[in-house]
Amino acid sequence: MKLKSSAVAHPNIALIKYWGRAVDHPSYLNIPTNDTVSMTKESIESSKTGIDLITHTTIEFSENFSKDTAFLKTNNELSVFDQSQMKRILAVVNPLKELANVDLHFKMVSENKFPTAAGLASSASAFAALATCTSNALNLGLDNTELSKYARLGSGSAARSIHGGFVWWKKGNSHDTSYAEQICACNEFNIAAVIAVINREEKEVISNVGHDSAHSSVFNPIKIKESERQCVEIREAIMNDDFTTVGKITEKNCLYMHSVMMTSDPPLFYWNPNTLRVMKRVTKLRYQYFQTAKLLKEGVKQKEKEGIECYFTVDAGPNIHCFCRTEDIEGVQGFLGDIGIPESDIVKVKQADYGSKIIEDHLF
Ligand code: PMV
């Protein structure tokens, strides 16, 4: 048995969101109330921006360790994960130890290749990397379906970060039936995104806690029902390279989730005024694009093409992902700059061709 292994994983951005755990299952299983769909993402020009959307994790099991330890590596310094983070790490590692019939303590070090406080950190890449290297260190040889189930125990959205490209997480109705599968590989559908980082601070209510309040919103049943339908529609649109339909559904689903958040008890407001300002400008930019396209179609002379077809989505925080066609990525970057987003807060992302994978480079 190797007992030591490392893995890297990319975060993902949900097009159809996970918000709320199914009440008829133990909450530690993180079984969602509806199926969800996402794009696994990777940053473009990471050497220029210093932001590489990737988590690198090493784990080692040894009889020399008298207890389990886990550290976050930032700028070459190690800090110990707090108790609640450790609980989530153990939620992934312990079941895998049990499966392998191994009773040894571990040391784990995890590093995000992007500023930890950049508002881009994602538990998805962290737990996908952790499940992947732990399974390998314990010689379990789990396939992606199995890895997806164990990654989910750390953070629901991590179930999707096991795969690259576009991913569907089937909610299922047990630990064994709730896992993610790839819809299509990287670049089979022409889409990219530009992130506007509105706030680099950590969110006040982390999603792991927010999930518990979704049921208190009267809109939740509608969001669940609509999301199920939207998953089917968006998969069809992704397979048909239908960007307009994907964009429209993505934006609607984001607004359904935030409607639930805002009408929960207590209400959760993840946007700040700047978030709303950018969302409105994105809508306007798209409106201009459709207006111009209509006029051009009607043969009305235009000075130049105006607007860009782009759509927003926002997770449990104030930052905005603007989806566009890959050829429009610089255009959207320029637009965000023009409306006052500093260059250092604009991050271009493309589809990642893998979710998580084993690497030989160990962090200790
Ligand atoms: O996996 P969690 O518990 O961090 O929840 C993710 C929740 C959202 O990012 C808001 C939506 C999603 O599906 O990723």
Side-chain angles (χ1 to χ4, degrees), residues 14 16-19 123 155-157 160 207-208 211 257 315-316:
I16 307 298
K17 310 286 189 190
Y18 154 47
W19 194 250
S123 53
S155 160
S157 56
R160 300 184 304 235
S207 38
N208 198 38
H211 288 300
M257 178 181 74
D315 271 344

Side-chain angles (χ1 to χ4, degrees), residues 329-341:
I329 199 154
E330 265 77 36
V332 173
Q333 180 187 27
F335 153 78
L336 290 173
D338 289 347
I339 64 167
I341 307 293

Side-chain angles (χ1 to χ4, degrees), residues 12-21 30 34 36-38 88 121-124 127 151-152 154-160 169 203 206-211 223 253 257-258 261 270 314-317:
N12 65 77
I13 175 70
L15 284 69
I16 307 298
K17 310 286 189 190
Y18 154 47
W19 194 250
R21 287 180 269 254
N30 293 332
N34 55 262
T36 75
V37 170
S38 64
R88 293 171 76 185
S122 168
S123 53
F127 289 108
R152 167 176 44 74
S155 160
S157 56
R160 300 184 304 235
W169 172 16
K203 42 200 172 200
I206 61 164
S207 38
N208 198 38
V209 173
H211 288 300
K223 180 254 173 196
N253 190 269
M257 178 181 74
H258 283 274
M261 290 164 160
Y270 283 108
V314 183
D315 271 344

Side-chain angles (χ1 to χ4, degrees), residues 275-318:
T275 311
L276 189 58
R277 186 178 70 85
V278 175
M279 284 159 70
K280 287 172 81 172
R281 294 301 294 260
V282 166
T283 319
K284 198 167 163 195
L285 187 69
R286 182 173 74 236
Y287 180 70
Q288 271 176 343
Y289 165 84
F290 280 119
Q291 278 291 98
T292 315
K294 186 169 168 269
L295 291 176
L296 282 173
K297 208 171 156 200
E298 287 166 0
V300 179
K301 272 201 177 155
Q302 287 288 308
K303 274 192 271 151
E304 56 185 72
K305 267 193 159 186
E306 278 178 13
I308 301 173
E309 188 178 8
C310 57
Y311 301 85
F312 64 76
T313 193
V314 183
D315 271 344

